[in-house]
Amino acid sequence: MRLAAAFFAATLLVQAADPLAERTRNKLARIKADKVPPRTILVFSERELNSWIRAELAKEQGLGLRETKLELADGLVSFQGIADFGKLAGGNPLLAGLLGGEHPVKIVAQPETGAGKITVHLKQVEIAGMQLKGILLNFAAKLVIGLLYDDVEIDQPFELGHNIDHASVDAAALRISFKP
């Protein structure tokens, strides 16, 4: 019991010690609480986003995703990690049997935003080095991306909400612009 308590305390200290994850968490909290002034542009660096993702996944032990890395490029977002599709399948034995086990995953998406909406276009989805196509591509991406953003729709526009007008991605950062 003491070992478990010490591990829990150490985990909290490590999470609390990451200022980049905390800065990102605070920005996201301001967005969710609708506390961002009009015409503001919030900037999220690649390092901030990666720190936040690692901290969030550390809170959710056994989620089925580890060793994650997010990369930003001009108009593209690339996500890599090790996914346990048995866990991600949510208890569905058919899906767990089809995709079960841990596999490296790479997802490249091109988000398009404007007028308060976003459409996520998949450019590439790989599992264990094999490129997926068609329905499997969308399904695997939805499983993995859905862990981080549960309202995501692939190739379908959906509302950004919270007075967000649009976002842009380049090699330096993700920029979120708010409506006037």
Side-chain angles (χ1 to χ4, degrees):
M1 186 68 166
R2 284 186 182 160
L3 183 60
F7 178 77
F8 180 71
T11 302
L12 289 177
L13 287 174
V14 168
Q15 288 177 8
D18 187 346
L20 292 175
E22 192 58 34
R23 183 180 327 156
T24 304
R25 192 175 289 117
N26 289 338
K27 288 179 189 179
L28 292 171
R30 286 179 49 211
I31 293 171
K32 287 180 181 177
D34 295 320
K35 301 241 185 221
V36 180
R39 295 190 174 98
T40 298
I41 298 174
L42 284 182
V43 178
F44 295 85
S45 73
E46 186 176 278
R47 288 182 59 216
E48 285 176 316
L49 292 168
N50 275 302
S51 293
W52 175 75
I53 290 169
R54 281 190 298 274
E56 291 301 302
L57 290 174
K59 286 195 282 186
E60 301 291 332
Q61 294 294 327
L63 197 56
L65 197 57
R66 61 184 176 83
E67 297 180 29
T68 60
K69 181 179 181 185
L70 185 79
E71 294 178 334
L72 304 176
D74 289 331
L76 297 174
V77 177
S78 174
F79 178 83
Q80 297 178 55
I82 306 293
D84 183 338
F85 285 95
K87 290 179 182 176
L88 293 175
N92 183 319
L94 177 62
L95 296 176
L98 183 64
L99 293 171
E102 287 193 334
H103 303 286
V105 155
K106 180 178 182 180
I107 299 171
V108 180
Q110 180 180 26
E112 292 181 7
T113 66
K117 294 187 179 200
I118 183 169
T119 304
V120 177
H121 301 288
L122 295 177
K123 295 299 179 187
Q124 176 183 2
V125 175
E126 288 182 14
I127 298 177
M130 294 179 53
Q131 284 201 6
L132 300 182
K133 298 192 183 305
I135 196 164
L136 273 180
L137 177 135
N138 288 345
F139 175 73
K142 179 79 171 162
L143 279 176
V144 175
I145 296 171
L147 288 174
L148 302 173
Y149 190 79
D150 57 357
D151 292 334
V152 72
E153 295 291 335
I154 307 298
D155 291 326
Q156 298 292 322
F158 60 98
E159 295 290 326
L160 288 166
H162 304 290
N163 206 34
I164 296 172
D165 184 55
H166 66 279
S168 63
V169 177
D170 60 38
L174 164 66
R175 290 172 177 75
I176 299 176
S177 301
F178 292 80
K179 295 175 185 175

